[in-house]
């Protein structure tokens, strides 16, 4: 039997909810998923099924579980106990998720934004270890970021570092994001934009953005690769804007778009370099830092939400009581 502390991680997303036993060393076991489309669209039904899956992990584990970490998308409630507003999971808007689980399982519970969870996973378990100024960007349906200074997420409003998905990348674009903002980073880098671009550039028809990303990676459709090159260049513009605010040493990128292949990052770095023209290298040299900004793929992977959800509890940063 291991002496490592064990926790339950819950990563709630618009497509599915992941539940697992997570060790303080980042080892994941008893992974299960709850597909949102398979349940009735009611909060009561969702919570009932979710609690059943959590209870199953308690029963399977022969170790003491010290807490539950929950990662959820969207703005967080001012008290930190749940989501204030989420476009992707409106079911939980306003609900006190923390105390619901505290009352049910009688152990500490901590709720954080999913972007923050991804960043915490990267800082503690991935390529962000020990980086004083770390910018973590997550891509998918939309795009967003969390900035870490000496391992602490800089949260400026309702549990997030800001809503950079609304950052305008093209004032002439007529593509809007899920919040209705036109020409934003989310509108031009997210799933919707991939699908729009594919209709004009791909020889095959695709039912989802992930199919386009896969075709770009395998090389089956040159048009699909062209689409992801456009997305990677737009990403570089987004990163340039964020970098001029945060001056990160390392930027990690996670999400479905990054599965297109190495060319996606190579093109992004090339465009970032073209836009910045060595500015950050010169700036950092003046401040005593010899290298510029490093852009890399996040190492925490698709289970980053689970890993990051438990980090505040592991770090003893939980204020909720049983």
């Amino acid at each position: 039997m291991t002496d490592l502390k064990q926790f339950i991680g819950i990563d709630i997303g618009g497509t599915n909810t992941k539940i697992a036993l997570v060790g303080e060393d980042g080892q994941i076991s008893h992974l299960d998923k709850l597909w949102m489309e398979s349940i009735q669209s009611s909060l009561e039904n969702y919570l009932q099924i979710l609690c059943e899956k959590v209870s199953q992990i308690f029963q399977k584990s022969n170790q003491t579980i010290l807490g539950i970490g929950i990662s959820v998308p969207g703005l967080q409630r001012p008290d930190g106990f749940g989501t204030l507003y989420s476009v992707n999971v409106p079911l939980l808007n306003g609900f006190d998720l923390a105390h619901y689980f505290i009352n049910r399982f009688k152990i500490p519970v901590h709720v954080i934004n999913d972007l923050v969870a991804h960043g915490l996973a990267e800082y503690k378990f991935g390529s962000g270890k020990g980086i004083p100024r770390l910018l973590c960007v997550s891509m998918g349906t939309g795009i967003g970021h969390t900035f870490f200074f000496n391992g602490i997420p800089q949260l400026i409003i309702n549990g997030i570092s800001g809503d950079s998905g609304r950052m305008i990348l093209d004032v002439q674009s007529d593509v809007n994001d899920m919040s209705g903002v036109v020409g934003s980073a989310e509108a031009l880098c997210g799933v919707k934009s991939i699908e729009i671009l594919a209709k004009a550039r791909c020889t095959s028809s695709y039912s989802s953005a992930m199919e386009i990303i896969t075709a770009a990676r395998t090389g089956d459709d040159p048009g699909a690769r062209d689409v992801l090159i456009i997305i990677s260049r737009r990403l570089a513009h987004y990163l340039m804007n964020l970098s001029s605010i945060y001056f990160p040493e390392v930027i990690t990128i996670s999400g479905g778009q990054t599965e297109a292949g190495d060319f996606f990052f190579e093109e992004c770095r090339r465009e970032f370099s073209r836009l910045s023209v060595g500015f950050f290298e010169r700036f950092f040299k003046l401040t005593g830092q010899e290298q510029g900004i490093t852009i890399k793929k996040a190492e925490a992977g698709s289970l980053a939400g689970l890993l990051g959800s438990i980090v505040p509890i592991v770090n003893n940063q939980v204020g909720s009581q049983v």
Side-chain angles (χ1 to χ4, degrees), residues 111-132:
V111 180
I112 56 174
N113 169 266
D114 59 346
L115 295 175
V116 178
H118 289 182
L120 286 171
E122 198 61 27
Y123 187 84
K124 189 170 183 66
F125 304 111
S127 60
K129 284 183 180 179
I131 304 299

Side-chain angles (χ1 to χ4, degrees), residues 1-309:
M1 181 181 297
T2 179
D3 293 329
L4 292 172
K5 296 176 182 177
Q6 300 293 317
F7 307 86
I8 287 180
I10 301 174
D11 182 21
I12 299 174
T15 303
N16 63 66
T17 295
K18 303 181 184 74
I19 313 102
L21 185 69
V22 186
E24 62 179 331
D25 60 348
Q27 292 298 309
I28 292 175
S29 60
H30 305 303
L31 176 63
D32 200 355
K33 290 184 181 181
L34 169 57
W35 296 93
M36 305 303 274
E37 64 181 13
S38 68
I39 65 169
Q40 297 177 7
S41 297
S42 74
L43 179 60
E44 181 180 1
N45 189 52
Y46 172 73
L47 292 172
Q48 179 182 343
I49 299 173
L50 181 55
C51 284
E52 288 173 359
K53 291 186 177 294
V54 171
S55 296
Q56 289 169 8
I57 294 177
F58 271 95
Q59 293 168 7
K60 293 175 183 177
S61 174
N62 58 0
Q63 302 168 62
T64 301
I65 296 173
L66 300 179
I68 298 174
I70 305 176
S71 163
V72 289
L75 288 172
Q76 301 303 289
R77 289 170 39 139
D79 57 19
F81 295 150
T83 301
L84 176 67
Y85 177 75
S86 169
V87 174
N88 294 327
V89 192
L91 204 64
L92 296 174
N93 286 350
F95 184 70
D96 188 339
L97 199 58
H99 283 95
Y100 177 87
F101 278 88
I102 289 171
N103 294 333
R104 181 71 179 262
F105 296 102
K106 311 301 181 186
I107 59 175
V109 176
H110 193 68
V111 180
I112 56 174
N113 169 266
D114 59 346
L115 295 175
V116 178
H118 289 182
L120 286 171
E122 198 61 27
Y123 187 84
K124 189 170 183 66
F125 304 111
S127 60
K129 284 183 180 179
I131 304 299
R133 297 192 310 279
L134 174 68
L135 178 64
C136 296
V137 171
S138 299
M139 305 182 73
T141 302
I143 191 169
H145 80 284
T146 303
F147 178 67
F148 291 81
F149 185 69
N150 291 329
I152 300 174
Q154 305 301 292
L155 309 180
I156 65 170
I157 183 171
N158 290 85
I160 60 175
S161 289
D163 189 3
S164 60
R166 262 26 72 194
M167 183 179 287
I168 303 302
L169 296 187
D170 184 357
V171 296
Q172 296 182 333
S173 173
D174 59 359
V175 181
N176 64 287
D177 61 28
M178 293 184 68
S179 296
V181 179
V182 178
S184 68
E186 179 176 287
L188 298 181
C189 295
V191 164
K192 179 179 179 180
S193 185
I194 293 174
E195 294 172 349
I196 290 173
L197 290 169
K199 289 180 180 178
R201 288 170 171 79
C202 293
T203 57
S204 303
S205 59
Y206 300 96
S207 59
S208 69
M210 187 50 63
E211 288 184 1
I212 301 165
I213 293 168
T214 300
R217 183 178 66 250
T218 59
D220 292 341
D221 186 344
R225 185 183 176 97
D226 291 342
V227 166
L228 270 298
I229 286 175
I230 292 172
I231 297 297
S232 69
R233 290 173 180 168
R234 291 174 176 176
L235 172 63
H237 298 180
Y238 170 79
L239 298 182
M240 180 67 190
N241 290 336
L242 287 177
S243 294
S244 66
I245 299 170
Y246 294 114
F247 288 81
E249 296 169 68
V250 173
I251 303 175
T252 65
I253 317 294
S254 63
Q257 286 87 323
T258 67
E259 300 305 316
D262 292 341
F263 79 88
F264 183 84
F265 286 90
E266 292 166 0
E267 193 63 41
C268 179
R269 295 184 190 107
R270 187 179 298 113
E271 182 69 359
F272 186 90
S273 178
R274 184 187 73 82
L275 292 169
S276 60
V277 200
F279 166 76
F280 294 105
E281 287 83 354
R282 294 191 299 274
F283 183 92
F284 286 147
K285 190 171 184 179
L286 287 172
T287 62
Q289 183 175 315
E290 291 303 318
Q291 66 180 42
I293 297 173
T294 301
I295 301 172
K296 59 174 63 176
K297 183 178 181 180
E299 293 179 357
S302 62
L303 300 181
L306 283 174
L307 289 169
S309 70

